[in-house]
């Protein structure tokens, strides 16, 4: 055991045993959050049946809320409940939200006609929105508390162990993110249901919900071993009050009769300590540099929305491995874990050896430029995808489908002297491209008798003579008619559409499949998902240079007691960045996705130029040195004040002694 005046806990390998509960808690919570978020935009599009723009808007609204609520969580923890109770209460809210999301994805609840589609979509939408709000409140509220609570478990002499803890803590965040973005898309790809088998979003949300419950239970189990610091007040409230007083005081003395002061924050000197005012000035200087930063997050967080939707129109076949569209996000945590040590130990030292002063602000500028390049790559990939998409009729056009059910070629004469030659059993058909990489299949019965077509996944039912079935999604088929059957197999890619024609000459037998004709109406996705890897590499390299360096720079330029204020400001830039996605998408209304990618890249380049100019004129400071100067000045003022008081006391003593002598003489004279 180690004991201090405040802490008492068992030690394992030099570490308080309580931190192991905190580390497991963080891993499970990050798995829960990133796992749910990985499949969220596809849930909006394919389960709730929203279009791309609405799905993207709600996704980014949710992410923005997740980065606004940490400010609320920090204030509640530091000023009222304390970190431990805040984590417990908001984790309960968080778990309820995850369970609500899982329940909202069960299609059988409102599927009264049992066709696989919910009949009361309002129920699912409302329940999912309530769930997302609770999740945003929970994950954001505990975000600033868990890491700080872990740091509280260490004593002052355990600085090395505390640094190791934060490294492991960061590793758990990326580990949870990595595993969840691999596992939950696989769960989503499964089929489940009571009455009809559909994509299993309920399972994809249910597993993160279970992990969140585990996270809460693990944290509660360790409650008896934690050191629980009492709330001591939140520095952000003090900062806001000081700034508010300075603004109000400046407005009250706006007349020219009052002399100007060096800085507008100096108007708070009547009420607040000069050291606090100086610290706030340092923070405001850094926060001013934060103004252009939200544009980076505007692009970065679209990898979970626009980029995932882009992947649904691509080929995810990597040989023996088939990648789901939402699994492409896995490249981000993998590249982070790879690039961070490479940048720190190889790239930055090499640049320094070349004699280039690669300051933190220059690194951030390069990071923003790399993110813009990533969106240029995304735009180029989208151009390649658009080339493979079928041309659909516009609102002013119509589509005519011609089907030759005979055995000989037909010549069809259309208006305006337009002639079409139709080969036998050939179809020139055009429909909307299947989503989620599925393949739309229909059968045409050219026989004079009914035909029963079924597969393990879909039953096409009875197809009457010279008619076709509806489109269905499947991988292979088994044709049956009475006691006779014909095994027919076809291999599909992603996003194709086929019409399979059974001619009038079809006969059951060992070679029956040879007379079956398949017509490819829409080609499968031919642009490979591997083409997204360069854009993921660039955006992650940009994140490492921008985000990691930005936090390092902010902390180096802020006073020791103002780290939380800058953390809140940094999280606020992420929230604002996600709101910008909504604003730009609504104002621009670009019909082509590639144009939107290029627009965002152009906006970030423009912001990058502005930030580089701001960075050029920024002067780096040493907050510790400035605070030391103020402390020294205060000590000197205290000494001067003490000297004045001593002199005043000596003067009073002398006057008192003179008065005493006078009274003694008077007493002697009166006696005489």
């Amino acid at each position: 055991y180690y004991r201090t005046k405040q802490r008492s806990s068992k030690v394992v390998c030099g570490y308080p045993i309580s931190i192991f509960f905190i580390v497991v808690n963080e891993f499970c919570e990050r798995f829960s959050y990133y796992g749910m978020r990985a499949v969220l935009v596809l849930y909006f599009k394919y389960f709730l049946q929203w279009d791309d723009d609405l799905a993207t808007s709600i996704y980014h609204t949710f992410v923005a809320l997740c980065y606004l609520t940490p400010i609320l969580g920090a204030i509640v923890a530091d000023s009222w409940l304390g970190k431990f109770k805040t984590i417990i209460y908001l984790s309960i809210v968080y778990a309820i939200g995850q369970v609500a999301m899982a329940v909202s994805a069960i299609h059988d609840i409102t599927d009264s006609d049992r066709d696989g589609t919910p009949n009361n979509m309002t129920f699912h939408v409302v329940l999912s929105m309530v769930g997302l709000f609770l999740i945003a409140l929970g994950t954001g509220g505990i975000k600033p508390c868990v890491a700080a609570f872990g740091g509280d478990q260490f004593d002052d002499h355990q600085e090395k162990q505390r640094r190791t803890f934060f490294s492991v803590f960061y590793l758990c965040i990326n580990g949870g993110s990595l595993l969840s973005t691999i596992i939950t898309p696989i769960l989503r790809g499964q089929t489940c249901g009571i009455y009809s088998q559909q994509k299993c979003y309920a399972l994809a949300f249910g597993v993160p919900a279970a992990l969140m419950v585990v996270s809460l239970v693990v944290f509660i189990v360790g409650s008896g071993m934690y050191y629980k610091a009492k709330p001591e007040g939140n520095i952000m409230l003090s900062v806001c009050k000081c700034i508010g007083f300075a603004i109000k005081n400046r407005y009250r003395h706006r007349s020219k009769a009052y002399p100007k002061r060096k800085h507008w924050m100096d108007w708070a000197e009547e009420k607040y300590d000069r050291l606090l005012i100086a610290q706030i000035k340092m923070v405001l200087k850094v926060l001013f540099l934060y103004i252009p930063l939200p544009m980076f997050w505007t692009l970065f967080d679209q990898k979970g929305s626009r980029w995932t939707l882009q992947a649904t129109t691509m080929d995810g076949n990597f040989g023996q491995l088939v990648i789901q569209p939402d699994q492409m996000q896995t490249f981000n945590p993998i590249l982070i874990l790879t690039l961070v040590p490479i940048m720190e130990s190889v790239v930055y030292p090499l640049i320094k050896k070349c004699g280039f002063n690669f300051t933190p602000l220059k690194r951030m500028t390069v990071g923003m430029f790399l993110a813009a390049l990533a969106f240029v790559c995304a735009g180029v990939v989208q151009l390649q995808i658009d080339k493979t998409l079928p041309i659909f009729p516009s609102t002013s056009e119509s589509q005519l489908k011609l089907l030759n059910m005979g055995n000989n070629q037909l010549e069809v004469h259309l208006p305006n002297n337009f002639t079409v030659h139709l080969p036998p059993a050939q179809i020139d058909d055009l429909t909307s491209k299947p989503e989620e990489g599925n393949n739309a299949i229909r059968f045409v019965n050219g026989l004079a008798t009914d035909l029963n077509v079924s597969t393990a996944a879909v039953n096409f039912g009875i197809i009457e003579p010279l008619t076709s079935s509806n489109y269905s999604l499947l991988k292979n088929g088994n044709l049956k008619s009475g006691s006779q059957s014909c095994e027919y197999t076809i291999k599909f890619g992603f996003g194709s559409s086929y019409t399979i024609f059974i001619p009038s000459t079809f006969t059951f037998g060992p070679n029956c499949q040879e007379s079956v004709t398949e017509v490819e109406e829409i080609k499968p996705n031919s642009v490979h998902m591997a083409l997204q890897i360069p854009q993921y590499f660039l955006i992650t390299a940009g994140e490492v240079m921008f985000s990691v360096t930005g936090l390092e720079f902010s902390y180096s330029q802020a006073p020791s007691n103002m780290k939380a204020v800058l953390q809140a400001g940094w999280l606020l830039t992420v929230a604002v960045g996600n709101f910008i996605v909504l604003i730009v998408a609504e104002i621009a209304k670009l019909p082509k996705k590639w144009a939107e990618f290029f627009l965002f890249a152009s906006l970030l380049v423009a912001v990058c130029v502005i930030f580089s100019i701001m960075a050029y004129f920024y002067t780096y400071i040493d907050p510790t040195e400035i605070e030391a100067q103020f402390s020294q000045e205060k000590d000197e003022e205290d000494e001067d004040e003490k000297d004045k008081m001593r002199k005043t006391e000596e003067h009073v003593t002398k006057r008192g002694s003179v008065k005493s002598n006078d009274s003694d003489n008077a007493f002697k004279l009166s006696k005489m």
Side-chain angles (χ1 to χ4, degrees), residues 346-566:
V346 178
V347 177
Y348 295 154
L350 192 62
I351 293 174
K352 189 175 182 181
K353 281 188 177 181
C354 294
F356 184 70
N357 185 21
F358 202 35
T359 62
L361 292 179
K362 289 178 182 176
R363 293 183 198 175
M364 292 175 68
T365 305
V366 173
M368 295 169 81
F369 183 71
L370 289 175
L373 276 181
F375 263 64
V376 171
C377 290
V380 172
V381 170
Q382 190 62 47
L383 283 171
Q384 298 302 313
I385 293 171
D386 289 351
K387 290 178 183 178
T388 66
L389 297 177
I391 301 172
F392 304 116
S394 66
T395 54
S396 61
E397 296 174 329
S398 298
Q399 177 181 325
L400 178 64
K401 303 176 183 179
L402 300 175
L403 172 62
N404 180 4
M405 303 291 289
N407 298 323
N408 301 313
Q409 179 172 299
L410 292 178
E411 185 176 290
V412 181
H413 297 280
L414 300 174
N416 300 324
N417 297 320
F418 189 75
T419 302
V420 178
H421 295 279
L422 292 179
Q426 291 293 316
I427 301 174
D428 185 13
D429 198 5
L430 191 66
T431 63
S432 60
K433 191 172 179 65
E435 296 179 325
E436 291 191 272
N438 290 313
N439 302 281
I441 310 300
R442 71 174 177 179
F443 286 84
V444 175
N445 180 12
L447 298 174
T449 59
D450 291 347
L451 188 68
N452 183 12
V453 181
S454 64
T455 70
V458 177
N459 184 9
F460 288 86
I462 303 296
I463 306 174
E464 295 179 357
L466 304 180
T467 60
S468 66
S469 68
N470 293 325
Y471 281 99
S472 298
L473 305 176
L474 77 165
K475 295 181 179 179
N476 51 63
N478 178 30
L479 311 184
K480 293 183 179 179
S481 177
S483 59
Q484 296 175 300
S485 66
C486 176
E487 294 288 340
Y488 177 77
T489 304
I490 181 172
K491 185 177 181 181
F492 304 122
F494 293 84
S496 63
S497 177
Y498 290 86
T499 291
I500 300 174
F501 180 68
I502 298 119
S504 58
T505 57
F506 174 85
T507 57
F508 289 95
N511 299 320
C512 61
Q513 68 273 10
E514 293 179 2
S515 60
V516 177
T517 304
E518 67 236 14
V519 179
E520 187 180 69
E521 299 160 351
I522 297 178
K523 293 183 179 295
N525 300 343
S526 56
V527 180
H528 204 276
M529 279 188 196
L531 289 180
Q532 278 196 326
I533 294 176
Q535 65 200 55
Y536 272 99
F537 176 82
L538 288 170
I539 200 81
T540 307
E543 179 191 7
V544 171
M545 299 189 78
F546 177 87
S547 182
V548 177
T549 306
L551 285 170
E552 174 194 333
F553 162 78
S554 302
Y555 274 52
S556 70
Q557 298 296 290
S560 57
N561 64 333
M562 295 283 175
K563 309 292 187 189
V565 178
L566 282 182

Side-chain angles (χ1 to χ4, degrees), residues 589-609:
K589 292 285 186 183
L590 297 175
K592 298 292 185 181
K593 292 179 182 177
W594 61 264
E596 190 175 271
F597 287 141
F598 287 144
L599 173 63
F600 279 114
S602 303
L603 289 174
L604 185 56
V605 168
V607 169
C608 186
V609 172

Side-chain angles (χ1 to χ4, degrees), residues 53 75 127 136 153 306 317 382 402 498 533 581:
D53 290 335
I75 293 173
L127 188 59
Q153 307 308 307
R306 290 298 199 203
N317 191 348
Q382 190 62 47
L402 300 175
Y498 290 86
I533 294 176
V581 178

